Amino acid sequence: MYVSIIVFYFVTAVAGLTCNFDNGLCEWVPVRGNLVQWKIGTGSTQDPSSGPDGDHSQTGNGQYLYINGHEFINTTLSAEIRSPELYILDNTTVTFWYHMNGVGVGELRVVLIDRYGGSKVVWVKSGRQGSGWHQGRFILEDLTASIKFQGTTRLHYSSDIAIDDITVSREPYEITHSPLYTTTVTMSTTSTTGVPMLPVITLDCTFSVDMCSWLQDSTDNLDWHRWYGRSPDLTSGPQVDHANTTEFYLLLKGHEAHSGNWTARMYSPYVSIASPRNLTFWYHMNGAGIGNLQLYRENSDGSIQQLFFKTGRQGVSWNQASVTLPMGFYKLVFEADAALHYSSDLAIDDIRLQDGPPLIG
């Protein structure tokens, strides 16, 4: 006999970035405070010397997004739309269509804004690109950031720019600050001994596919990155995952730490441990700027108990940790930081709970 129960997890909500603008802006939002804004358009724009005759679809009868060049009183202004803050798990391809045909056309840029306010231009076109719609493409790697489309003009006239049909190869996750999520899990009401059973989710993870049951903490300063191959800092971090294959591992990128107080945390769902259990994992801490790595339990009342702690350089190889999980009901938290901005990449891999998975409550 099976019933459905509700289990609570802290997760991130899926955001939809794919948009043809036929039903509005989807998940994209205008950047507030700008004197000029992107507009929804149909058919031809008001400027007959620039702008499309219709949207990118075969019929041309749908909607698109455009900037109205004659609204730009000077060339320092820009119109911007922005996605929510996103957590990108894997490489994601973003394609879109743009129209830039007019003597006064300025620039169309795609900019990534990270959680610390830093920006990076990942795609740009400047000036007249010819009649018709053209396709743009860029890649989002493992990161936490929002995406911004930014349009400018060079002249007050003949400078309309349009975009349409944004498509992503894999929808990323939206970071929310109140990410309480419920899901229904089907489970057996009793075990072979007649004792009610809780749903089972394993803590074991090689990170080769995803982060398994482990979740990023959206309230910390840094993120753990799923990474493969050599870490970006050539003076620290591993060259390959613990299994010495082309699989993934989790990496703290030390150069992202603007302060020694910044930490990256990830946590498990709440686990119910009926008797002491052994948890093993592998860690790599080799660099002059290596900080701290710790694993602790966080109880439902918010109190914590440290289970593992290492600080500073631990050698060029992967090292195995073995931790005894005490009895109780709690979640597990991995936390790491960087002592210096450079030479401080730190990695973990291959988490395994001995003797099978725990009970999750």
Side-chain angles (χ1 to χ4, degrees), residues 57-80:
S57 67
Q58 290 184 347
T59 64
N61 296 328
Q63 296 184 156
Y64 55 88
L65 212 59
Y66 78 104
I67 59 173
N68 192 343
H70 76 266
E71 294 182 347
F72 286 70
I73 57 177
N74 60 62
T75 58
T76 65
L77 300 180
S78 63
E80 299 170 318

Side-chain angles (χ1 to χ4, degrees), residues 37 157 357:
Q37 298 288 347
Y157 58 90

Side-chain angles (χ1 to χ4, degrees), residues 3-48:
V3 296
S4 292
I5 66 169
I6 300 296
V7 182
F8 293 89
Y9 299 95
F10 287 94
V11 299
T12 50
V14 174
L17 298 186
T18 295
C19 193
N20 62 12
F21 303 107
D22 287 348
N23 296 299
L25 295 179
C26 307
E27 296 286 344
W28 299 90
V29 295
V31 175
R32 294 181 180 179
N34 289 359
L35 296 179
V36 288
Q37 298 288 347
W38 289 92
K39 301 176 181 294
I40 294 288
T42 57
S44 299
T45 63
Q46 297 174 342
D47 188 336

Side-chain angles (χ1 to χ4, degrees), residues 142-157:
D142 181 26
L143 52 77
T144 302
S146 59
I147 307 168
K148 182 167 66 176
F149 280 86
Q150 184 181 72
T152 65
T153 65
R154 187 172 60 85
L155 300 174
H156 179 67
Y157 58 90

Side-chain angles (χ1 to χ4, degrees), residues 19 21 38 55-57 64-65 94-100 108 123 132-137 149 161-167:
C19 193
F21 303 107
W38 289 92
D55 80 326
H56 170 251
S57 67
Y64 55 88
L65 212 59
V94 181
T95 61
F96 62 97
W97 293 81
Y98 63 94
H99 193 285
M100 300 173 66
L108 176 62
W123 185 94
W133 288 93
H134 307 275
Q135 189 178 54
R137 180 190 307 266
F149 280 86
I161 296 175
I163 58 176
D164 199 9
D165 291 340
I166 300 174
T167 304

Side-chain angles (χ1 to χ4, degrees), residues 294-299 301-308 323-328 330-333:
Q294 64 174 320
L295 172 68
Y296 58 85
R297 60 179 280 185
E298 182 176 325
N299 302 312
D301 63 1
S303 61
I304 64 174
Q305 175 189 350
Q306 190 178 81
L307 303 174
F308 171 88
V323 178
T324 299
L325 300 184
M327 293 185 293
Y330 49 84
K331 61 183 177 182
L332 294 169
V333 183

Side-chain angles (χ1 to χ4, degrees), residues 189-207:
T189 57
T190 58
S191 68
T192 56
T193 61
V195 177
M197 296 173 62
L198 291 172
V200 173
I201 296 178
T202 180
L203 297 182
D204 293 6
C205 196
T206 64
F207 306 104

